[in-house]
Amino acid sequence: MLSRIQFAVTIMFHYIYPPISIGLGLIIVIMETMYMVTKNPLYHKMTHFWVKIFGLNFAIGVATGIVMEFEFGTNWATYSRYVGDVFGSALAAEGVFAFFLESGFLAILLFGWDKVSARMHWIAACLVCFGTHFSAVWIVVANSWMQTPAGYHIVGDGMHARAEITDFWAMVFNPSSVERLIHVLLGAWLTGAFMVLSISAFYLLKKQHLDFAKASLKIALVLALFSAVAQMLAGRVSAETVAHYQPTKLVAMEGHYAANAPADFYLLGAVDEKNHQVHGLKIKGFLSFLEYGDAHKPMKGINAYQKQELPPVSITFESYHLMIMLGGLMLLIGITGAVLWMQGKLFESTWYLKILVPSVLLPQMANQLGWITAEVGRQPWIVYGLLKTSAGLSKAVTADMVLTSLIMFTLIYFMLLALFIFLLDQKIKHGPEGLMEEDTHMHRA
């Protein structure tokens, strides 16, 4: 349990940053493309500012991500030996093909403003953006293989058994990888968009950098609305895949206890695991309708499975439904902004701008809840149907070792988060003009 908690803490802290990099990378490409097309210096200023934010986020993201790769060997040695050929190939591809591309061209993006041509700088922005998205591809492929294994065979027996790739592309395009990748990327686009919305709304409320804030807010609002709508559709497809390949996860997500009865769809609720009940607001038979097109068709539920085959129902149910609620709230914010924009009231609606400032937290919470749903819902399997999580642990690691490192890592991660917030606050207070002046002084020096 300590090893599970430690990995959860490190990966949840780390996952604050990659979605920002992915979403902000796309926004930077959009802004710099608009500058290349229009030659409007406002877009140059916008790109310059958001690149600074991207660089800060990238640095903290790298620092928080290094530990996880070591944890596979220290805490989960049996798991690493079992799936090393499969999981390791995807992680290696992420490092060689994606991370090096992203980090290499980031130097040009950050420091090449007056050292390379405008076209070369734009190319660097595109390649950094591509690198962030390509990183997500390989990480999601690796995780999706754990959810829906494909393209492998098992060699060896007992403790020496391990999975080997028989078809690399079947492993990459396993049954859940594409829809899960789309789901993850849309969540990242929402994260970047709402960060830009939040900071832009802050400037508008303070009556600072108005042209910059208005232009940034418009771009982010379009991306946020598109991503929120697309996310609802992507989530629906992803749920269908879960229903087909991970039925125990689905019934936990939906809180469907009856062994064989039409399944209700809960809008919100609370799970009573002791009495095998869910109390809340529901649409009768709607889950059966979504899955089979028939509201009266029975669906196999939680009570039809052995207890040792099931994930923790309450955590899976609550995280899933909270994620959906947050997704709906982001969609509502996006639609409201579009209506105000069409009415010509977007920048004057103080109440809406005040909502946008803290809304930066919504996609972050939704991202975390989505991964909790995916990972807790996969239990008790670390590789679905192949290897139990309890069997993946390192035999030589003791509880006191894990507890000591857990406390140490948690403190360090909180310090890094505090540093990120402090430096982000400093950059926001400086504003785009302040950053441009800083760079001018540095070049003169």
Side-chain angles (χ1 to χ4, degrees), residues 395-413:
K395 302 296 185 283
V397 176
T398 60
D400 59 326
M401 294 177 186
V402 180
L403 181 60
T404 302
S405 58
L406 171 60
I407 293 169
M408 180 181 68
F409 285 139
T410 303
L411 289 172
I412 291 170
Y413 277 113

Side-chain angles (χ1 to χ4, degrees), residues 113-151:
W113 293 100
D114 55 357
K115 297 178 177 62
V116 298
S117 67
R119 182 180 294 274
M120 184 64 232
H121 196 271
W122 174 79
I123 290 171
C126 292
L127 290 174
V128 168
C129 177
F130 178 74
T132 61
H133 285 69
F134 206 37
S135 285
V137 169
W138 293 110
I139 298 301
V140 172
V141 162
N143 185 269
S144 295
W145 187 87
M146 295 161 64
Q147 309 278 349
T148 53

Side-chain angles (χ1 to χ4, degrees), residues 148-349:
T148 53
Y152 72 97
H153 68 174
I154 303 297
V155 296
D157 299 309
M159 289 294 293
H160 301 288
R162 59 189 179 87
E164 279 188 354
I165 298 174
T166 56
D167 185 336
F168 179 77
W169 293 112
M171 182 273 290
V172 170
F173 294 103
N174 64 72
S176 65
S177 61
V178 174
E179 50 259 46
R180 295 180 82 244
L181 175 63
I182 293 169
H183 198 52
V184 165
L185 290 179
L186 288 170
W189 292 359
L190 281 166
T191 306
F194 271 85
M195 182 173 224
V196 175
L197 286 172
S198 174
I199 296 172
S200 301
F202 173 77
Y203 285 145
L204 289 168
L205 288 169
K206 293 290 185 180
K207 309 294 183 188
Q208 297 174 344
H209 321 298
L210 295 180
D211 291 339
F212 166 91
K214 288 177 181 179
S216 294
L217 193 144
K218 285 180 178 179
I219 292 171
L221 183 58
V222 171
L223 180 60
L225 183 55
F226 168 81
S227 301
V229 173
Q231 189 67 291
M232 292 296 177
L233 301 174
R236 174 77 186 97
V237 174
S238 188
E240 288 177 355
T241 303
V242 170
H244 187 74
Y245 291 97
Q246 296 177 294
T248 54
K249 180 190 285 188
L250 177 74
V251 294
M253 285 163 55
E254 299 291 358
H256 177 50
Y257 271 99
N260 191 38
D264 303 328
F265 182 85
Y266 282 90
L267 300 174
L268 51 92
V271 177
D272 181 356
E273 291 196 58
K274 183 179 179 181
N275 297 310
H276 289 200
Q277 291 180 333
V278 179
H279 306 285
L281 183 63
K282 65 183 180 181
I283 303 174
K284 199 164 182 63
F286 192 57
L287 182 59
S288 289
F289 176 78
L290 288 175
E291 293 303 323
Y292 307 119
D294 181 358
H296 303 289
K297 186 169 182 177
M299 179 184 288
K300 191 177 179 181
I302 294 168
N303 293 336
Y305 296 94
Q306 297 293 323
K307 187 176 180 181
Q308 61 268 25
E309 296 176 10
L310 293 164
V313 177
S314 184
I315 296 173
T316 308
F317 177 91
E318 298 298 349
S319 58
Y320 174 65
H321 283 79
L322 284 171
M323 177 191 69
I324 292 175
M325 288 173 63
L326 289 170
L329 184 55
M330 286 185 279
L331 178 59
L332 180 61
I333 289 173
I335 292 171
T336 304
V339 171
L340 290 171
W341 188 353
M342 288 188 292
Q343 293 175 344
K345 300 176 182 177
L346 179 59
F347 306 123
E348 289 74 37
S349 300

Side-chain angles (χ1 to χ4, degrees), residues 321-387:
H321 283 79
L322 284 171
M323 177 191 69
I324 292 175
M325 288 173 63
L326 289 170
L329 184 55
M330 286 185 279
L331 178 59
L332 180 61
I333 289 173
I335 292 171
T336 304
V339 171
L340 290 171
W341 188 353
M342 288 188 292
Q343 293 175 344
K345 300 176 182 177
L346 179 59
F347 306 123
E348 289 74 37
S349 300
T350 304
W351 63 271
Y352 181 70
L353 297 176
K354 286 181 178 178
I355 291 172
L356 287 183
V357 173
S359 72
V360 66
L361 298 175
L362 298 179
Q364 288 285 1
M365 291 188 291
N367 287 336
Q368 300 286 355
L369 289 164
W371 279 110
I372 291 170
T373 304
E375 300 306 286
V376 175
R378 189 183 68 233
Q379 302 306 314
W381 302 100
I382 195 167
V383 181
Y384 198 83
L386 292 180
L387 183 68

Side-chain angles (χ1 to χ4, degrees), residues 17 90 206 334 373 388 424:
Y17 309 102
K206 293 290 185 180
T373 304
K388 292 281 183 77
L424 180 63

